[in-house]
Amino acid sequence: MPDPSWQAMQQAQQAQQIHQNHVRHHRAAHDMARAHARHAGVPHTHRPVPHTAARGGGLRGLLVLIVIVGVVVYVAHDPELRTAVGNFARNLLAHVQSN
């Protein structure tokens, strides 16, 4: 019976190769489309954006997370406010589902 760690390593290497082939194919298709667009005179409108900026990452994202956690903790400690927020959320959800 083969060693399980060896099997896992083989499977991981195979998965990595499949992923690399997929990425290579995707990049080749993208490059071909860009080359075709350049040849046809179509302007290149897509500008790559770092993923962290697209998700609002960095310091701004951390500050938003801290504020959200603070609000949740504050609401959790006040039973009246917790009930009011729960009712508001249920009413909002019902309104969104009905439209």
Side-chain angles (χ1 to χ4, degrees):
M1 182 168 153
D3 180 21
S5 63
W6 181 83
Q7 281 183 323
M9 189 170 53
Q10 292 296 316
Q11 289 173 342
Q13 287 175 346
Q14 185 180 20
Q16 186 179 17
Q17 286 176 337
I18 290 170
H19 174 71
Q20 287 172 345
N21 287 340
H22 173 80
V23 169
R24 194 176 302 116
H25 175 76
H26 178 80
R27 285 184 179 152
H30 183 70
D31 291 344
M32 188 181 307
R34 286 182 61 193
H36 176 71
R38 262 195 314 273
H39 178 70
V42 178
H44 183 63
T45 57
H46 172 69
R47 298 285 179 259
V49 176
H51 291 294
T52 55
R55 288 192 306 252
L59 184 59
R60 189 179 70 189
L62 179 63
L63 291 175
V64 169
L65 178 64
I66 290 171
V67 169
I68 290 172
V69 168
V71 169
V72 168
V73 168
Y74 181 75
V75 168
H77 283 291
D78 186 351
E80 246 179 74
L81 187 57
R82 186 174 52 230
T83 302
V85 169
N87 289 336
F88 174 76
R90 277 190 287 282
N91 291 340
L92 183 63
L93 180 63
H95 179 72
V96 167
Q97 287 178 340
S98 68
N99 289 338

